Amino acid sequence: MVNIAILGYGTVGSGVFEIINTNQEIVNFKAGKELKIKYVLDLRDFPGTPVENLLVRDMDTIVNDPEVEVVVEAMGGVEPAYTYVKSALLAGKSVCTSNKELVAKHGAELIKIAKDHNRNFLFEASVGGGIPIIRPLNQHITADRICEITGILNGTTNYILTKMDKEGLDFDTVLKEAQALGYAEKDPTADVEGFDACRKIAILASLANGKSVDFEDIYTEGISKISDTDFKYAEKMGRSIKLLGKCKLEDDGIVVSVSPRLLAPSHPLFHVSDVVNGVLIRGNVVGDLVFIGSGAGKLPTASAVVSDVVDAVRHLNVPTTIQWEAEKLEVLDFSKSKKQFFVRVAGQNKEQIENAFGEVTYVDAGIQDELGFITRSMSENSYEDAASKVEGVITRIRIEA
Ligand code: HSE
């Protein structure tokens, strides 16, 4: 029997509890041992629930109990999760977490502590919810140079953009609807401004390259400025707008970013809609691999956490090899990265546009008093330079090749 402690009985923690109990037979069979939840750490009371008698308030109870071999961290946020996880690892317990903030900030250090103690720090649920993506990157796609990872990594924004696309609604209306349905948080900033996707692509980029990508170095732009008019142009171009986290090996180096992009129907992620997440991994020998599935939600996320628990139990005294060093990965300055841009400019001054951008392709979506056009491939810097010479730039959206 293996004793487990769950830190936090919120959405994910209660999902882990539920799965370990409802899927007991299959989970125990896969783990090769019987799993027993010994403690649930939470400051709240849950009278009349099955965790009532398992609740503890103090992390020391868990850290000091040698019977606990696996700890599930489902609290979220960096502190106190970091302190608790570190103390559990130092006490010789494996830890499984869904916490992307924690992994993006302290992943390399926690992996090292786990390794030093012959234990595991596992975080399958931190990116893509229920989609297996961390384990494939660590254990399966090990023969390739990873040239590109492109992901729809945030369910909330994908839901909002899908609604805007399919129903012609504006951003604020859809956001309110998403909040009413419980898809979007009351404070939606982390999702709509791309910060959540930024943490997730930082984790994937670090795993793909074996060194730490600092999320603060990642160019991050959210979807709050995307309008219903932008979607009218997108429709005219036969494209859709998706928020993409990207880590790409370009001519001069690795570029990591989060930004809304115009995707063509031929792109493997074009049809990834609603709250669904999708990740494209492009290897230099395997080619394209695409992973699609539930990127958020209680049970899909908890399913990924429990898969880590099973892995931890299968490898109780054997660290699985996760190659992620603390050494910082130097990423290319985003301003040097090249792509085509779709641009909207107020007025009808084609001469000014062409003087600044050179040859462009106009897109007529029937919108009065403005011009929409596609530039040639140019660096972000060159775009900024050209745009500064044009009056009335309304917006620009990057075009995904
Ligand atoms: N807020 C996140 C999302 C939850 O919408 O994808 C999963 O990390």
Side-chain angles (χ1 to χ4, degrees):
M1 182 190 293
V2 175
N3 286 286
I4 295 163
I6 299 176
L7 315 184
Y9 196 64
T11 307
V12 178
S14 61
V16 169
F17 186 88
E18 190 178 324
I19 292 173
I20 289 180
N21 286 294
T22 54
N23 277 4
Q24 197 171 41
E25 208 177 313
I26 181 90
V27 172
N28 289 348
F29 173 69
K30 296 277 181 183
K33 288 202 171 97
E34 188 189 337
L35 310 189
K36 183 186 159 210
I37 298 169
K38 185 166 183 184
Y39 302 113
V40 173
L41 178 84
D42 205 298
L43 293 178
R44 297 164 293 180
D45 290 318
F46 297 94
T49 71
V51 295
E52 194 174 12
N53 299 321
L54 307 179
L55 281 171
V56 289
R57 315 276 183 214
D58 186 357
M59 184 62 189
D60 287 346
T61 311
I62 294 167
V63 169
N64 296 329
D65 184 342
E67 284 190 355
V68 174
E69 294 189 86
V70 180
V71 170
V72 168
E73 186 279 305
M75 304 166 73
V78 175
E79 282 295 356
Y82 170 64
T83 305
Y84 288 2
V85 166
K86 196 168 169 175
S87 64
L89 291 170
L90 288 169
K93 303 169 193 319
S94 286
V95 176
C96 309
T97 184
S98 57
N99 186 335
K100 62 236 164 188
E101 289 96 343
L102 174 69
V103 179
K105 198 164 168 63
H106 296 292
E109 181 198 356
L110 296 171
I111 289 165
K112 181 163 186 329
I113 297 173
K115 265 187 199 165
D116 290 348
H117 290 77
N118 278 338
R119 295 296 183 273
N120 287 295
F121 175 64
L122 303 171
F123 43 91
E124 182 59 69
S126 64
V127 181
I131 305 173
I133 187 66
I134 303 290
R135 199 164 285 108
L137 263 178
N138 280 333
Q139 295 184 14
H140 307 138
I141 314 164
T142 51
D144 279 68
R145 174 185 290 277
I146 293 174
C147 309
E148 178 178 338
I149 301 177
T150 295
I152 294 174
L153 301 171
N154 183 269
T156 307
T157 47
N158 205 37
Y159 173 83
I160 293 172
L161 292 173
T162 304
K163 276 275 196 188
M164 289 175 77
D165 192 1
K166 302 278 180 281
E167 297 177 22
L169 300 170
D170 65 70
F171 175 81
D172 290 329
T173 306
V174 182
L175 175 60
K176 285 201 186 92
E177 213 177 291
Q179 284 171 317
L181 287 167
Y183 289 149
E185 306 276 346
K186 270 198 194 114
D187 178 359
T189 315
D191 290 321
V192 300
E193 297 306 342
F195 306 145
D196 175 81
C198 169
R199 298 315 186 267
K200 292 169 176 168
I201 195 66
I203 295 169
L204 297 182
S206 300
L207 289 172
N209 295 286
K211 292 181 186 171
S212 295
V213 173
D214 187 338
F215 62 83
E216 286 175 4
D217 289 345
I218 298 177
Y219 175 85
T220 302
E221 181 180 316
I223 64 160
S224 57
K225 294 195 180 76
I226 299 291
S227 71
D228 45 342
T229 309
D230 295 332
F231 272 103
K232 290 197 174 108
Y233 281 103
E235 189 184 358
K236 204 74 200 164
M237 289 183 260
R239 288 178 177 256
S240 186
I241 304 170
K242 306 277 188 194
L243 183 68
L244 298 185
K246 289 186 69 72
C247 167
K248 190 170 178 194
L249 188 59
E250 295 192 1
D251 290 344
D252 302 320
I254 295 169
V255 182
V256 191
S257 65
V258 173
S259 64
R261 305 250 177 162
L262 281 152
L263 246 73
S266 55
H267 194 281
L269 301 180
F270 180 83
H271 292 290
V272 177
S273 300
D274 300 311
V275 288
V276 175
N277 280 194
V279 185
L280 162 70
I281 297 185
R282 191 159 279 168
N284 72 329
V285 284
V286 72
D288 286 2
L289 300 169
V290 184
F291 301 77
I292 293 173
S294 304
K298 173 176 168 168
L299 292 178
T301 307
S303 159
V305 177
V306 175
S307 77
D308 277 347
V309 172
V310 168
D311 200 6
V313 172
R314 284 175 175 176
H315 301 100
L316 271 183
N317 302 307
V318 187
T320 58
T321 41
I322 302 180
Q323 311 291 353
W324 177 353
E325 304 294 331
E327 187 189 337
K328 185 170 162 162
L329 181 79
E330 292 305 331
V331 294
L332 188 74
D333 185 346
F334 187 64
S335 63
K336 296 190 174 125
S337 154
K338 282 187 184 162
K339 59 198 67 74
Q340 288 182 283
F341 295 82
F342 165 70
V343 192
R344 285 173 53 205
V345 175
Q348 296 291 326
N349 195 341
K350 286 190 175 177
E351 195 185 336
Q352 192 182 54
I353 288 169
E354 287 161 31
N355 282 341
F357 283 94
E359 198 179 322
V360 298
T361 307
Y362 291 97
V363 182
D364 183 0
I367 313 292
Q368 299 298 305
D369 303 324
E370 65 173 70
L371 291 167
F373 61 91
I374 299 169
T375 69
R376 67 194 151 84
S377 179
M378 60 204 303
S379 70
E380 296 275 338
N381 264 343
S382 310
Y383 166 79
E384 291 300 339
D385 187 40
S388 71
K389 294 177 184 141
V390 175
E391 277 168 41
V393 174
I394 300 167
T395 190
R396 53 95 185 88
I397 306 174
R398 297 168 181 89
I399 295 186
E400 183 66 5

